[in-house]
Amino acid sequence: MTELCNAHTHLELSDLGRVCPQTPTSFPNWVGGLVWSVRNRKLEQYRAAVMLGIEALQACGTSHVHDITNTWVSVEPLLNSGLQGCVYLEVLGQKRERGLERLKEATGRITDLRRAHAGNPMRVGLSLHSTWSCHPDMLRQGAEWCRENKVPLCIHVAESPAETEMLLTGGVKELGWIRTQIGRSLSMLPMSAPRLRPVPYLAVLGVLDARPLLVHAVQVDDEEIDTLARARCAVVHCPRSNALLSCGRMRLEAFLAAEVPVYLGTDSRASSPDLDIRAEAAAAKRMQTGKVDAEKIDAMLAPLNSEP
Ligand SMILES: [Zn+2]
């Protein structure tokens, strides 16, 4: 295959292999460790990590990448890398006013970048970080803006059992040391709960109308898979990250049966042993043995064709 797509990365974390668990840990525990390890990080460190990440992608023959950048420093290096795909400027925030302000800043920057780099094979999009880390008005307005302006949108959704618990109850029992170590700087704190599971929550907010690229989609039932199929959303499967963060096995066979397009992503070096998408495919084959044929998993290495 000449084209090889890694559909989910965070290249600005490519130097954080030390944060990647050696054996499975819980998602809240991992988030706590990650936030702690980047607490004093400088933008130059993020920039250097992006360059490391781009080198790693090119070294294993990757032609396409879909990268999320929380600091927005990945944008310029990726636009200049010759790689194809999309770089998504990420926003998050549980506080409404601050979150919407950040969203406005992002949409302005994305508009400028898309105008200045219209012919670039690397597109520029928006990432609303996740269901639990963005105020509902950010999710609603961000998705609406993407839909109206035909801008690619990417969201982490239905990743961990903790996410579902948070949305249903407003809190996560297993915060323990995380809260005492990190306190208010960690967004994973009790919020006003929509009392909906992740996929129905996005559907009710109208987010699925923007046909976002949905990352993980592990904690889903059959009805929710049907919802995603009807919304014509694509999903990204990151099996090694899911295993290391105890998120469970994605029901790949059910997504394929519902004809939902599925792609493979490594996720960041903070939750993946490397950025080699062929190694991810090999892991997917091991984890999905008896459920999904190997050739079907190989087909998930192709570039995305479901653009908004
Ligand atoms: Zn991710």
Side-chain angles (χ1 to χ4, degrees), residues 46-47 75 93 166 211 294:
Y46 285 105
R47 270 191 206 101
V75 175
M166 172 107 60
R211 296 183 59 211

Side-chain angles (χ1 to χ4, degrees), residues 32-68:
L34 177 61
V35 173
W36 181 250
S37 66
V38 298
R39 69 199 182 284
N40 295 321
R41 200 164 153 89
K42 309 266 186 303
L43 280 182
E44 299 80 72
Q45 290 171 281
Y46 285 105
R47 270 191 206 101
V50 174
M51 299 316 292
L52 271 180
I54 290 174
E55 277 170 33
L57 290 178
Q58 289 172 333
C60 60
T62 316
S63 58
H64 291 64
V65 66
H66 286 251
D67 185 62
I68 288 182

Side-chain angles (χ1 to χ4, degrees), residues 8-10 68 156 159 215-216 238 267-268:
H8 184 58
T9 60
H10 302 256
I68 288 182
H156 295 91
E159 180 174 7
V215 181
H216 299 306
C238 306
D267 217 329
S268 81

Side-chain angles (χ1 to χ4, degrees), residues 12-225:
E12 64 197 7
L13 306 180
S14 296
D15 59 338
L16 290 179
R18 67 180 183 280
V19 178
C20 182
Q22 300 294 307
T23 53
T25 187
S26 78
F27 182 80
N29 195 41
W30 173 80
V31 172
L34 177 61
V35 173
W36 181 250
S37 66
V38 298
R39 69 199 182 284
N40 295 321
R41 200 164 153 89
K42 309 266 186 303
L43 280 182
E44 299 80 72
Q45 290 171 281
Y46 285 105
R47 270 191 206 101
V50 174
M51 299 316 292
L52 271 180
I54 290 174
E55 277 170 33
L57 290 178
Q58 289 172 333
C60 60
T62 316
S63 58
H64 291 64
V65 66
H66 286 251
D67 185 62
I68 288 182
T69 177
N70 181 263
T71 61
W72 305 357
V73 304
S74 303
V75 175
E76 291 301 330
L78 277 171
L79 285 169
N80 294 323
S81 67
L83 288 163
Q84 303 175 58
C86 190
V87 54
Y88 304 88
L89 279 69
E90 182 175 74
V91 291
L92 54 81
Q94 288 179 334
K95 293 198 172 116
R96 186 179 184 278
E97 302 314 321
R98 230 173 119 190
L100 289 179
E101 213 172 282
R102 182 73 170 157
L103 176 62
K104 193 175 168 200
E105 205 185 326
T107 56
R109 179 79 71 90
I110 293 166
T111 302
D112 291 346
L113 285 163
R114 285 169 63 85
R115 200 171 290 144
H117 300 276
N120 200 300
M122 181 62 57
R123 304 176 74 198
V124 180
L126 174 72
S127 170
L128 298 161
H129 173 259
S130 185
T131 57
W132 57 268
S133 56
C134 291
H135 188 277
D137 287 345
M138 288 176 77
L139 294 170
R140 198 184 285 119
Q141 292 182 25
E144 196 180 343
W145 181 80
C146 286
R147 186 173 54 76
E148 283 173 358
N149 295 282
K150 298 192 170 12
V151 172
L153 174 63
C154 185
I155 308 181
H156 295 91
V157 66
E159 180 174 7
S160 66
E163 176 185 347
T164 307
E165 185 186 349
M166 172 107 60
L167 294 185
L168 288 175
T169 68
V172 172
K173 289 189 205 91
E174 194 209 335
L175 280 173
W177 70 271
I178 302 169
R179 192 181 299 168
T180 53
Q181 294 269 356
I182 296 159
R184 304 303 301 180
S185 70
L186 179 64
S187 310
M188 202 163 185
L189 292 169
M191 55 187 261
S192 94
R195 305 204 180 280
L196 288 168
R197 292 168 50 82
V199 169
Y201 179 48
L202 292 186
V204 163
L205 290 173
V207 173
L208 301 182
D209 298 342
R211 296 183 59 211
L213 178 63
L214 298 171
V215 181
H216 299 306
V218 177
Q219 305 295 324
V220 293
D221 61 25
D222 288 342
E223 203 178 318
E224 291 160 359
I225 292 174

